[in-house]
Every structure is written in C-alpha cells, then in structure tokens.
Amino acid sequence: MEQSTNPQGIFRSLDWITVVLYLLLLTIGWFSVVGATYNFGDPLVIDYTTRAGKQLLWIGLALVWAFVLMFVDDRIYDTFSYIFYIFMMGILLITPFISQGHKGSYSWIDIGSVSLQPAEFAKTATALALAKLMGSYGFSLFRPRNFLLALALVLIPMALIIRQRETGSALVYLAFFLVFYREGMSGSVLFVAFSAVVYFIVGLRYDADPLPHTLSSVGQFSVLVLVWVFTVLLSWIYDRNKLHALHMALGGLVLLGSAYAVSRFIVPFDIAWVALGVCLGCVAYIVVQAIRTRVPRLLLMALFGLGSLTVYYSADYALNNLLEPHQQDRVRVLIGLEEDLIKAGYNVNQSKIAIGSGGFWGKGFLNGTQTKLKYVPEQDTDFIFCTIGEEMGFIGSAAVLFLFLAIILRLIHLAERQRYSFGRVYGYCVLSILLFHVFINVGMVLGLTPVIGIPLPFFSYGGSSLWGFTLLLFIFLRIDAGRNRFGYTN
Amino acid sequence: MNGLEFEKRRFIIGLIATVIIAVYLVRLLTMQIMSDDYKKNADSNAFQKEVLYPARGLIMDRKGRLLVYNEPTYNIMVTMNDQIGVDTADFCRTVGMTQEEYEERMAEIKDSRRNVGYSRFTPQQFLTQIPAKEFSVIQEKLYKFRGFSIEKRAVRRYATTCCAHVLGDVAEVNPAEIDSDAYYRKGDYIGKLGVERSYEKDLRGVKGLHIHLRDARGRIKGRYQEGRFDRYPEPGRNLTLGIDRELQALGERLMRNKIGSIVAIEPSTGEVLCMVSSPTFDPHLLIGPERGRNYRQLQADPYKPLLNRAIMGQYPPGSTFKTTQGLTFLQEHIITPGTYYPCSHGFWNGRTHVGCHGHYSPVELNFAIQTSCNSYFCWGFYHMVMNKKKYGSYSAALTRWKDYMVSMGFGYRLGVDLPGEKRGMIPNAQYYDKWYKSRWNALTIISDAIGQGEVMLTPLQVANLGATIANRGYYYVPHVVSKVEGRAIDTLYTRRRHTMVEPRYYEMVVRGMRSAVLGGTCKGANLPGIEVCGKTGTAENRGKDHSVFMGFAPMNNPRIAISVYVENGGFGAHMAVPMAALMLEQYLTGELSPASQAKADSYAQKVIYYGTKH
C-alpha cells in the first residue's frame, strides 16, 4: 500500500531493463527518421519544421507521458478499464465522420495542427478491457459465454477500424489470440489458422508449376499432402490409439507412392486426385473410428481434414472476391504470383534493394543512397526498417531485431510474475501487439509478409503510434511496479 | 483462475517470437551479405553511370537492299543539381530559344507530375533530336554551361516510302513498357508497330555502361577500377526481310486509291514476298518531332491507313474457298473426280436456293473449279454434313469439316511475325447450336461451302492457301523476316505444317485451278510462258462485292503464291485477276513489259472508294 503512492518506491520497483530497452529503441528510431528524411546537400538542421525535428518533439512528449503515468495509481486501470474501453469505441465510431481523409483512410482526427489516429490508442483500451474481463472472478475461456464475450471485446474495435479503411491496423487485433492461447485457448486454433495460411500461400504460389512426371500442379499436390500429414499428426497427438495414425500414414504413403510410380512409369495422370482420395479416406477412417470407439473428440480431427480441403479450394475464391483490389495485389505480389513492380511490388522491391545494398556494416549514417534519393516510398513511416538496413547494415538491423526480441522476452517474464490475472493478461496483450507489429512490419520490408501498412513500434515517424505504444508499455510497467503493494518484495 | 495450468505456454510464446526474429535474421543475412557486391557498390552515389546506346539493327529486303537505317541525333541533357552559374541568355541564344521557352521547359522538367521519376541528381532531357548539323554549333559552346551535357542517340531513317505496315516504327517507351521490361529507361526508344515491334529484342542490341568515379562535388575523377566493370554496347541484330522491294512497290502502286490488300508468299519457305495494305502511308511521317501529330492524323483518317489489312482485315473468302471444299470432300470420300452434281442456274434443295451462272450440267470437280460452280460445292457440303451414317450427327460432320479448315491454317492466327494478326473465323457446331438453338442442318449453313456465310479469312490466310496448294498439301507459317543476323529464325517458321488432305487430291485441285486460268474465270491471269494456276472470288458483302484472286505460279515448282483483295472491286476477274497477273509477271520475270507497264499505270489510276468507310 505504501509503495504505490510513494514515487520513490515506484521508481525502485520499476523494471529498468525494459525502460532501457525502450530508450535504446527510441534513440535508434529517431536517428533512423533523421536518416530517412534527410536530403543530400541540405545542411543538417533539426528544427520543428522538419520531420526529424517533429519526431524529436513527439519523443520528448512521449517521455513526459511516461513519467506522468508513473504517478497514476495503477488500480485506476482495473477500475476504469470498461469506461475507457467504451469511451474509445465511441471515438472510433465517430472518427470516420469527423476525419478529413488521408490517402483513402478515414482514421485520423485533426486537433489543431496535430493529427491523431485513435486506433493507436484503442489497442490500450482493448487490452485493459480484456485484462479486466479475463481477470474477473470465475472467468474461464472454456465457458462459451465467457469466450464469446472476450472475442467480442476484440472484434468490436476491429470492425470499427475496418470501417475507417485501415485494414492493417485492424489486423493487429489478431495479436490478442496469442493472449487467448496463453490463457488456455486450445493451441489447435492457432494451429488451424497457421495451416490455413500455409495452404493459401503454397496452393496459390505453386498452382501453375507442373509436378514432374505427372499431370498435377505442385501447389495442389503439396497442399493435399500437407492436409494428410497434418491430419496424421493430429491423430498421433490427440488419439490415444497410436495405431490409427500409423494406419493412415502407411496407407497414404503406399497409395501416393504407387500413384507416383504409375504416373512415372506407366501413364502420366493427375495424382492430385489420389492425394485427395487419401485425405478423404483419412477423414472417413477417423469418422469410423470415432463411431466405433465412441470418442466424439476424434470427429474434430475429421473436421480439421474436411475444413482444410474447404479452405484450400476456397482460397482462390477468397483472394478474388473477399479482398479489396489493392490487397489482392499485395497478396499476389507477396506469394510471387505477379511481378507487379509499379504498385505494391515497387515498394517491396525498392526496399529489398535498399536493404541489400547496406551490406554488413551499412553505408553509414546519412549515407544511404537508395533511401535518400527517394526510391523507397514511406521510408520514414512503414518502410523505416529499410533505412536501418541500408545505413546500419546487417549489424545494425540485427541489433534492432535483438532489441525487439529482448523487450518481448523481458515482457513475458514480467507478465508471468504478476500475481493477478489482470496484470498478466494485460502484459501479454502488450507483448503480443509488439510482436505482431514487428512480425508484419519487418517481414513486409524484407518481402516475407504481405504489405500491410502498420508502423514499426518506436521507429516509424508519427506521434500517434509512438504515444500509443508508450502508453501501452508504461501502463504495464506501472502495474508491474505496483505488484508488491501487499508487502512482497523480491 | 490464476492461469497457472497454462504457465508453460510462455515458453511456446517465447519460442514463436524467437523463431520469427531468427527467420528475419537469416533473411537479412542472405540479402545483405550473400548478395552481389558490385551491384551494391555501383548504386552508391560515388559512381556516375553513363549509358552507351547501341546502334539499332538495320533492315534489308530479300536482295540485301537497305530499307531502314540510323542517323545520329543529339539530346541536350540537364542535371538540375549541377546547373549553377549558367548564363541563360547566352545559352538560349546558342540553342535558339527564347528566355520564356527556357523557363517553361525548366518548369516542365521539374514538375514531377508530368515528368515522372524526376530527380535533380540525374540528367534530364532538355532538348531532343537535334540533327548533327545544328548540334556542332551547340557543342562548341556547351562547356560554358555547367550541368548541361549531351547524349548521342540515333533516329530511324527509311530508304523507301513503301512497306510502312511491315516495317513499323519506333517511338519513346511509355511508362507501362518501362515497368514491364527492366531494359528500358525513360526516353529510350522501342518498336511500336511491324517488325520494329516483333523483333524489338533483336533490333535493340545491348546497352553499354561506363562507370565514372566522381567526387562529392560531382566532378568526374576517372573510371571505376580502370573500367573493369564497363561494358561496351552491342549493336542490334540486322534483319533481312523476305520482302521484294520492287514487288512491294508495284503492289502499292496498283492499290493506290483503292482499299484492300495484296499478299505474296514464297511457297517453298513461307517467306512473305510482299504485303501490301491499302491505303498506306509514308513511314517518314512517324519519325522525328512531328510524330505525335502525324500519328493522330493517321489515326483519325476514316480509311484507317494504320490498319494492316493483310493480317487484320477479315473478309469472306468468296469462291477462292471452293478449293478447300473440293479438297475436303475428296479426302472424306464424299466425292471422287468422277462425281457429277447437277446445276440448273444454281443449287435447289427444298426451299433453299443458291444461284449460279449459266453453264452446262451436270459438272464434275475440274469444271466446277474452272467455272466456279456454286451448286457443285453446295451439293458436296450438303452430302458431307447430312451424312449421319458416316459421322453420326450434323455436329460431328461439321466438327470434322472444321478440323480440315483449321489444318489449312484458318480460324486461328497463323503466327506471322507481325503484331496484331487476326484469326479470321471458321464457325463450329457450338456456334450454330447457340445461334440456331440446335435447329440447323447443312441447308441452314450452306453458304459456308462457297466462302460466304460466317467464314472469314485474312488476305494472309488466303495467300497461305495458295502456298499450301502450290506445295500440294503443306505450308510454312508465313513470316516477313527471313534472316536474323547472328541467330537462326524461330523453328516456328521452318517446320512444315501438313494439312489433313493427301497430295494426290491437291493435284486434282491444281488441275482445276490451271483450267480456270486457261479457259475459266481467270483467263486474265494467263501469262505467256508461265503456267499460272488461280481461282477468282467475288466476296459478297453489304456494299459492292470485293474482288478476290488466289493463285500461284508456275504450276510445277511454284515460286510465288498470291492473294489479291480489292474492296468493292466487283467481280474477281474485273480487278483482282489482272492486278495479280502484273504482280506475278514482275516477280517471275523481274520486270514488267512495256505493255504491262501501261496496264499497271491504268490500274494505278483507278479510284475505288465505294463510300464505305470501314
């Protein structure tokens, strides 16, 4: 009780490792913005008219925010989290109506000369509300009612942000599924999502490549084999009778092997049909076993197999009908279906050139030519990792990645040492969001993930994103600092 | 709930984060360390890359006479960042422009909306296509103007005013072309039409590159690593066309003031000897600074001179098509040379009637071709399509018929080495099923048998039909380029394509076509001392009939096959036959006799613009 109101106590129990990591990221981030916005030949002046100067101002204000947060009693979050959540949802709801519109997106609110993106702050509100809900007495993800409630908390801001035409920011909320996983959601949900993405990418990417000696496409065949392998693996893990998995593995192997042999040595045919047969056979086999042994749980595996096939065969439909045209482009470019060098592909291509040209040591601060000569668009916001790659080389980029990994692992540690679910859930929310941003943003610049416009935490130019992450992080650090208020010390 | 039972999951989550970062580190490693060192360095601003443009390949006719060559011109370039302390008044006087024009041009260059990709660090085109004479004056004083540099380029020149459609033209690349091929930079030239486009990759050559070292103030300090990474340009490959310049010129002369096309092919190789499309235009219109204006003017012309009718015009083949029908019926054993069909001023069957001119009846194949009897081929077609015993259904019979036509090169693009070829039209059973809701039989579609109805061919396909008959059953895909310097031509053009009809049946049709020249519809093509074989056509259409001829010569060891299309020229014998005769004479004897010269002049003066604007 004593410590929470005593600033000295707070600063003593504050996790300084995280603070140092945060400050390091901020510093490197600012130098990157300077590098990304600097023009050759211009004198290096930092004043409030340049983006570098403005970013310095945002950083200063962020630090003030962080400092002020230390003096707010952490229990206020627990108490007011729903109110804060409802308030933020209200702002998200009205944002598209009062927004002026930037590049087809209606997610910014102008306050005087400053534009703010409420979506950046809604993450904190959602994390707090989720922490409050999941930390409440008797909450269990295994109760459908509770789980649906938690899901609703995540889906509402997602829907509101999609309406602002900021699909990228909305996708960030998928990060909360990692929190659900930590709190007991079945790992198979993550596994199923992962498999769906793999089917989608492999299936479309290699659809046109012929499999040698057969009339099948590599994409279709590989996906069907993956479905079979995943189904067998699931059976091996979840079915007590390991013989079942063995039967399916051997049966599939024999069938596929002989189909290939026939196609290779006798008459070429589309062996994907055989693979499809194997998958359906496995599904039927599992259903029979489930009925025979009266273990309905096994039916879920059959459902997985069937669902996988549905997902694969509807992937093409999804790509062509569900996504917006610019997103379709980005997905197609990403999986290598199209060499689109003018739109989405242009950014990725240029960013790869810029990073590749950095080499081991980089070209040195302010010496990046690719980024300086404006080859890379949005180089100080979404594509800022390019500047790091070009000017600081492999050494610098690797260091930045390690810093992110360190802060994430540190946050896992902090989250696990919370005594209450509220703190732990909130901590996981923070680190999941950070991880998702780093995963998508860096992956996009490296040409590994789709081009989804979300900022790199602490690096990308802009006050909203910087303040949003600072708020997110320091609320957690404050909660963490107050964890011992009942007299525990470590 | 304290969530302790899932505590171990923190390791999984930590592992996910670690794996993601590890994958990204590996990716960075491959991108930054295991990539091409030179490329990276050359991108650095310490190097100035100077592109050296190769000379574009020349184009010659079949006898090696030059058709297209290059002439040097110069571009004045400006690099905004280096352009300091320039006496603009002096500069304007030197290049011959006013101060206002200068300011305007500079503003244009700096406007990155109009000048996409503008950078003040790279040379931008200030003035283009300055001829060598004017340039020498400017060059002397250019040293005074910092930031201005020169770029040597070449423009195309034509040794002749003919062959515009075949030769095509070059122009500056557009943004889409720059994006689709890494070879091109802004301001480069690319073939837009004709062989300039279809052989662009051969003609353009390989650009050279000199890498200069420069200091921080942009001054050139010498070659990077003594020019170890420099490349010299490789000139483009020269092309030799199958076109005979004189034959082409005669064809264009004959077709003056008429709409239509003349195509001649060497049957033994598939080389196109001439490809006339009328009206045509002077290729010089599409070079130089006036190109844009001239191009728009040509585009607006109601007679569409830019259209290459030889490969883009799709016409009913008329009676020339009867040869294909005879061949098909013989091969399918619907008829034999001894089969007689009646003709009483045409084909009468139920309520169907196809007219014919007066001649004796009944007729067999040879006379049917000689006199171009409609009735004969209608009966043959009727017996083929209605033969349910042999084919099972009308659809099956028509499908078989369509297969014959396709094997002769109809209904699909032949694959000529020019852009924009059309495929023509050979209707199939599905087409009629849709149109007539499956209620059709041979009589419904009888006019296909005589090259009317839905059948459409390009003049090139008709000329190719002549070549196929001349070869007695095979053809080479027609192509205008006979040789590409430094490489063999595509095997597409050296492989024989056999039709589904045996050579012995072709002999019968050849005899019929010879009879037509000796005593039938195309007596006008009978040249002294040359055994010409031919078939006229009179293609009905909305306006006055098109006059058509298809033939080859000599009958044995043929050297040329030809098709002539004169839109609204009336009977085949009226226009197409005599014009074809002149063309054959020119090619086979190398010149025209004085009498023929006079005849050519009289045809050249005939004006047939029937008022139909296509």
Side-chain angles (χ1 to χ4, degrees):
Chain A
M1 211 61 194
E2 187 66 14
Q3 284 174 335
S4 67
T5 46
N6 174 3
Q8 278 177 345
I10 288 300
F11 286 112
R12 203 176 306 134
S13 55
L14 183 65
D15 185 61
W16 286 100
I17 295 181
T18 312
V19 175
V20 167
L21 289 170
Y22 165 80
L23 290 175
L24 272 174
L25 287 168
L26 271 194
T27 313
I28 306 176
W30 182 70
F31 279 110
S32 309
V33 170
V34 175
T37 52
Y38 173 76
N39 270 325
F40 276 136
D42 291 351
L44 185 57
V45 181
I46 307 297
D47 62 31
Y48 297 126
T49 59
T50 65
R51 279 165 89 97
K54 279 186 192 153
Q55 183 72 357
L56 198 59
L57 186 66
W58 304 144
I59 289 175
L61 287 171
L63 292 177
V64 172
W65 269 82
F67 189 72
V68 169
L69 279 173
M70 290 300 108
F71 297 95
V72 177
D73 190 328
D74 59 295
R75 278 163 300 181
I76 198 171
Y77 304 120
D78 197 354
T79 314
F80 290 106
S81 57
Y82 286 149
I83 294 171
F84 187 35
Y85 179 80
I86 291 166
F87 173 72
M88 276 317 295
M89 291 309 113
I91 292 200
L92 284 183
L93 188 67
I94 58 168
T95 300
F97 299 107
I98 57 176
S99 171
Q100 310 284 329
H102 287 253
K103 291 194 246 167
S105 147
Y106 293 88
S107 60
W108 298 82
I109 301 179
D110 295 315
I111 303 166
S113 62
V114 183
S115 298
L116 285 179
Q117 209 173 6
E120 293 294 339
F121 303 98
K123 283 177 214 161
T124 308
T126 310
L128 283 172
L130 210 55
K132 165 97 177 171
L133 175 72
M134 294 172 75
S136 57
Y137 179 75
F139 180 89
S140 165
L141 275 177
F142 296 106
R143 289 198 197 108
R145 230 178 84 89
N146 285 355
F147 182 66
L148 286 178
L149 213 56
L151 208 57
L153 281 183
V154 173
L155 293 181
I156 289 170
M158 264 183 106
L160 290 174
I161 295 169
I162 285 176
R163 212 171 51 99
Q164 302 170 0
R165 311 193 65 76
E166 273 288 332
T167 321
S169 304
L171 287 176
V172 172
Y173 287 79
L174 292 178
F176 289 115
F177 280 86
L178 207 58
V179 181
F180 292 161
Y181 171 69
R182 166 61 185 86
E183 294 302 308
M185 184 185 73
S186 165
S188 53
V189 174
L190 289 186
F191 180 69
V192 164
F194 168 76
S195 341
V197 171
V198 169
Y199 298 153
F200 191 74
I201 291 180
V202 172
L204 293 181
R205 172 70 180 85
Y206 299 103
D207 194 37
D209 299 354
L211 191 67
H213 309 301
T214 67
L215 301 179
S216 327
S217 90
V218 173
Q220 194 181 12
F221 184 72
S222 333
V223 167
L224 293 171
V225 168
L226 277 175
V227 173
W228 167 59
V229 169
F230 286 163
T231 310
V232 170
L233 277 180
L234 279 181
S235 167
W236 179 261
I237 295 167
Y238 292 108
D239 192 344
R240 294 232 176 85
N241 191 346
K242 304 296 175 201
L243 269 180
H244 295 161
L246 219 57
H247 287 161
M248 289 191 284
L250 284 178
L253 219 55
V254 168
L255 276 172
L256 288 172
S258 42
Y260 184 75
V262 168
S263 179
R264 171 88 166 83
F265 299 109
I266 304 173
V267 54
F269 70 105
D270 189 350
I271 64 171
W273 290 109
V274 178
L276 182 61
V278 167
C279 294
L280 292 174
C282 288
V283 169
Y285 182 77
I286 292 172
V287 171
V288 169
Q289 293 305 333
I291 294 169
R292 214 172 54 84
T293 60
R294 310 239 159 85
V295 185
R297 203 159 50 91
L298 295 185
L299 285 173
L300 286 176
M301 275 178 251
L303 199 64
F304 170 81
L306 269 184
S308 295
L309 296 175
T310 320
V311 164
Y312 168 60
Y313 285 107
S314 55
D316 203 41
Y317 173 82
L319 176 63
N320 290 319
N321 298 289
L322 298 186
L323 295 180
E324 309 228 344
H326 71 276
Q327 291 165 336
Q328 287 177 18
D329 284 349
R330 289 169 172 188
V331 172
R332 280 176 205 280
V333 169
L334 173 80
I335 61 181
L337 272 181
E338 264 166 44
E339 283 279 319
D340 172 14
L341 294 182
I342 188 160
K343 280 176 262 160
Y346 176 83
N347 297 11
V348 174
N349 195 41
Q350 291 298 339
S351 81
K352 286 200 286 196
I353 291 176
I355 291 179
S357 71
F360 189 75
W361 294 108
K363 294 176 184 168
F365 181 54
L366 300 186
N367 284 331
T369 48
Q370 293 295 312
T371 46
K372 291 306 160 302
L373 295 176
K374 312 284 178 213
Y375 287 110
V376 183
E378 305 184 43
Q379 51 190 314
D380 57 347
T381 55
D382 295 348
F383 279 84
I384 189 138
F385 195 73
C386 261
T387 313
I388 305 167
E390 191 183 12
E391 299 198 341
M392 304 192 227
F394 178 73
I395 284 289
S397 343
V400 168
L401 287 181
F402 274 122
L403 281 177
F404 274 117
L405 183 60
I407 202 170
I408 287 165
L409 294 181
R410 181 70 194 165
L411 287 173
I412 292 179
H413 174 73
L414 297 190
E416 289 294 343
R417 77 181 184 191
Q418 300 304 309
R419 293 186 63 242
Y420 296 98
S421 297
F422 177 80
R424 184 180 65 243
V425 172
Y426 183 73
Y428 268 100
C429 287
V430 174
L431 71 93
S432 301
I433 291 170
L434 271 180
L435 178 60
F436 191 87
H437 270 266
V438 173
F439 169 59
I440 292 292
N441 181 286
V442 178
M444 152 181 102
V445 173
L446 296 178
L448 292 174
T449 55
V451 180
I452 294 169
I454 59 172
L456 185 62
F458 314 123
F459 278 73
S460 295
Y461 170 81
S464 299
S465 140
L466 183 58
W467 295 351
F469 282 114
T470 303
L471 187 68
L472 194 66
L473 181 65
F474 276 81
I475 288 179
F476 178 58
L477 288 182
R478 180 64 187 78
I479 294 171
D480 177 62
R483 70 192 178 280
N484 297 320
R485 75 168 60 91
F486 295 114
Y488 292 94
T489 45
N490 15 323
Chain B
M1 297 298 286
N2 55 14
L4 282 179
E5 63 266 44
F6 301 113
E7 206 182 339
K8 279 185 184 155
R9 286 189 171 181
R10 68 168 137 171
F11 297 115
I12 305 276
I13 293 171
L15 190 69
I16 292 174
T18 313
V19 166
I20 290 173
I21 299 296
V23 168
Y24 287 0
L25 283 173
V26 170
R27 174 73 168 179
L28 274 171
L29 203 69
T30 53
M31 279 168 76
Q32 300 194 300
I33 297 169
M34 300 169 195
S35 65
D36 187 349
D37 215 34
Y38 152 66
K39 187 181 164 298
K40 287 188 314 217
N41 287 334
D43 283 334
S44 145
N45 65 323
F47 302 92
Q48 190 188 33
K49 291 195 267 183
E50 182 196 4
V51 176
L52 304 174
Y53 287 93
R56 200 172 167 85
L58 308 176
I59 304 180
M60 277 145 306
D61 90 335
R62 68 184 292 112
K63 291 175 186 158
R65 288 165 301 194
L66 209 54
L67 297 175
V68 186
Y69 58 99
N70 302 308
E71 197 175 81
T73 63
Y74 298 87
N75 293 341
I76 294 183
M77 313 293 286
V78 59
T79 309
M80 293 297 176
N81 211 39
D82 301 342
Q83 185 230 355
I84 307 153
V86 171
D87 181 350
T88 47
D90 190 11
F91 179 81
C92 290
R93 242 177 291 125
T94 311
V95 301
M97 66 192 327
T98 66
Q99 192 81 30
E100 289 78 49
E101 283 169 338
Y102 175 88
E103 299 295 343
E104 200 179 312
R105 181 71 195 122
M106 280 295 179
E108 248 172 57
I109 294 171
K110 283 180 189 163
D111 183 352
S112 57
R113 256 174 313 162
R114 275 190 291 173
N115 185 12
V116 183
Y118 165 71
S119 155
R120 56 202 175 91
F121 303 104
T122 58
Q124 306 286 315
Q125 288 187 347
F126 183 78
L127 278 176
T128 59
Q129 299 200 9
I130 304 167
K133 300 193 283 291
E134 292 172 39
F135 175 72
S136 57
V137 185
I138 301 173
Q139 193 181 21
E140 279 173 24
K141 293 178 75 179
L142 205 66
Y143 75 95
K144 288 202 281 187
F145 311 120
R146 278 194 63 187
F148 286 91
S149 55
I150 52 169
E151 184 185 65
K152 192 176 162 196
R153 298 301 296 274
V155 288
R156 291 301 240 185
R157 289 280 165 215
Y158 298 91
T160 158
T161 57
C162 73
C163 304
H165 293 110
V166 173
L167 297 176
D169 68 331
V170 294
E172 270 189 32
V173 283
N174 60 36
E177 286 160 343
I178 295 176
D179 290 326
S180 62
D181 188 337
Y183 177 91
Y184 300 105
R185 295 281 172 274
K186 202 166 169 300
D188 283 2
Y189 290 104
I190 187 173
K192 294 278 183 184
L193 297 167
V195 293
E196 294 273 21
R197 166 139 164 224
S198 49
Y199 287 85
E200 166 68 16
K201 288 203 169 133
D202 290 305
L203 289 167
R204 71 188 184 188
V206 179
K207 284 183 200 166
L209 185 70
H210 281 182
I211 304 168
H212 303 287
L213 273 176
R214 62 176 193 179
D215 64 8
R217 300 170 77 181
R219 289 172 302 202
I220 303 278
K221 289 290 180 192
R223 292 283 180 78
Y224 173 58
Q225 297 216 351
E226 281 79 50
R228 201 144 65 85
F229 295 107
D230 289 1
R231 279 192 317 253
Y232 284 90
E234 286 171 36
R237 298 192 171 112
N238 296 340
L239 300 184
T240 303
L241 304 187
I243 302 282
D244 181 301
R245 194 169 140 179
E246 270 98 30
L247 188 67
Q248 176 79 23
L250 175 66
E252 290 188 10
R253 185 168 137 217
L254 292 173
M255 288 300 291
R256 201 174 292 160
N257 292 325
K258 298 165 202 68
I259 304 172
S261 173
I262 302 178
V263 179
I265 296 174
E266 186 174 65
S268 59
T269 59
E271 288 168 18
V272 174
L273 298 170
C274 82
M275 184 178 276
V276 178
S277 172
S278 184
T280 180
F281 58 92
D282 185 343
H284 290 102
L285 290 175
L286 295 187
I287 52 175
E290 294 292 287
R291 178 184 195 278
R293 202 169 56 90
N294 291 336
Y295 188 83
R296 276 192 298 279
Q297 233 163 42
L298 289 171
Q299 236 175 357
D301 189 321
Y303 295 109
K304 297 198 174 166
L306 287 173
L307 190 73
N308 185 355
R309 289 172 165 78
I311 57 171
M312 298 172 186
Q314 303 178 97
Y315 303 96
S319 303
T320 59
F321 199 59
K322 288 172 183 165
T323 53
T324 67
Q325 301 306 296
L327 291 166
T328 306
F329 305 153
L330 285 168
Q331 184 69 47
E332 283 294 285
H333 306 299
I334 304 297
I335 60 169
T336 67
T339 303
Y340 283 83
Y341 285 128
C343 174
S344 44
H345 285 277
F347 168 81
W348 300 86
N349 191 321
R351 273 179 292 170
T352 309
H353 170 56
V354 178
C356 191
H357 56 97
H359 56 76
Y360 69 71
S361 169
V363 295
E364 38 54 87
L365 178 67
N366 194 65
F367 185 70
I369 294 177
Q370 176 186 335
T371 195
S372 197
C373 172
N374 285 343
S375 180
Y376 183 90
F377 295 97
C378 289
W379 277 116
F381 189 71
Y382 178 79
H383 281 131
M384 177 163 178
V385 176
M386 304 299 261
N387 195 338
K388 275 203 173 171
K389 218 165 86 193
K390 183 168 167 133
Y391 302 107
S393 68
Y394 301 159
S395 291
L398 192 70
T399 302
R400 183 81 179 144
W401 176 84
K402 181 214 71 184
D403 291 343
Y404 273 92
M405 297 303 112
V406 170
S407 82
M408 293 177 190
F410 308 141
Y412 292 92
R413 286 184 193 94
L414 278 167
V416 69
D417 48 352
L418 289 173
E421 188 190 0
K422 289 278 195 302
R423 59 186 283 191
M425 166 85 188
I426 294 294
N428 59 17
Q430 287 81 5
Y431 178 83
Y432 287 122
D433 283 347
K434 209 170 147 194
W435 197 355
Y436 293 112
K437 304 208 169 27
S438 302
R439 299 174 56 84
W440 58 271
N441 60 31
L443 296 176
T444 331
I445 59 173
I446 198 76
S447 41
D448 287 340
I450 55 168
Q452 296 292 150
E454 282 68 56
V455 174
M456 293 281 200
L457 302 184
T458 65
L460 181 74
Q461 284 171 327
V462 177
N464 190 52
L465 168 63
T468 311
I469 300 173
N471 287 334
R472 274 63 164 178
Y474 66 87
Y475 68 91
Y476 296 96
V477 172
H479 47 284
V480 293
V481 172
S482 61
K483 281 199 235 25
V484 181
E485 184 192 35
R487 74 166 173 94
I489 63 165
D490 202 320
T491 51
L492 173 69
Y493 303 119
T494 55
R495 216 172 57 228
R496 278 187 189 188
R497 323 259 157 168
H498 286 272
T499 69
M500 289 163 65
V501 183
E502 291 165 42
R504 61 189 170 117
Y505 297 125
Y506 271 98
E507 283 301 345
M508 297 170 190
V509 169
V510 168
R511 277 203 299 279
M513 287 171 68
R514 180 67 187 141
S515 311
V517 172
L518 288 175
T521 49
C522 31
K523 276 179 276 196
N526 195 4
L527 298 174
I530 300 170
E531 289 184 304
V532 178
C533 299
K535 182 74 200 75
T536 53
T538 307
E540 289 174 21
N541 67 97
R542 271 162 301 171
K544 195 181 168 191
D545 297 346
H546 298 327
S547 178
V548 191
F549 176 84
M550 178 276 295
F552 61 92
M555 181 165 76
N556 299 310
N557 302 319
R559 290 176 53 207
I560 176 171
I562 191 167
S563 78
V564 178
Y565 256 94
V566 184
E567 288 190 25
N568 315 115
F571 281 122
H574 182 58
M575 294 292 300
V577 172
M579 281 165 57
L582 291 166
M583 294 293 283
L584 294 177
E585 182 185 345
Q586 166 69 43
Y587 185 71
L588 293 172
T589 66
E591 57 179 7
L592 288 182
S593 68
S596 298
Q597 277 292 2
K599 210 161 112 192
D601 280 334
S602 80
Y603 278 101
Q605 275 155 21
K606 288 201 165 108
V607 178
I608 309 176
Y609 283 152
Y610 194 62
T612 41
K613 292 174 183 178
H614 296 269

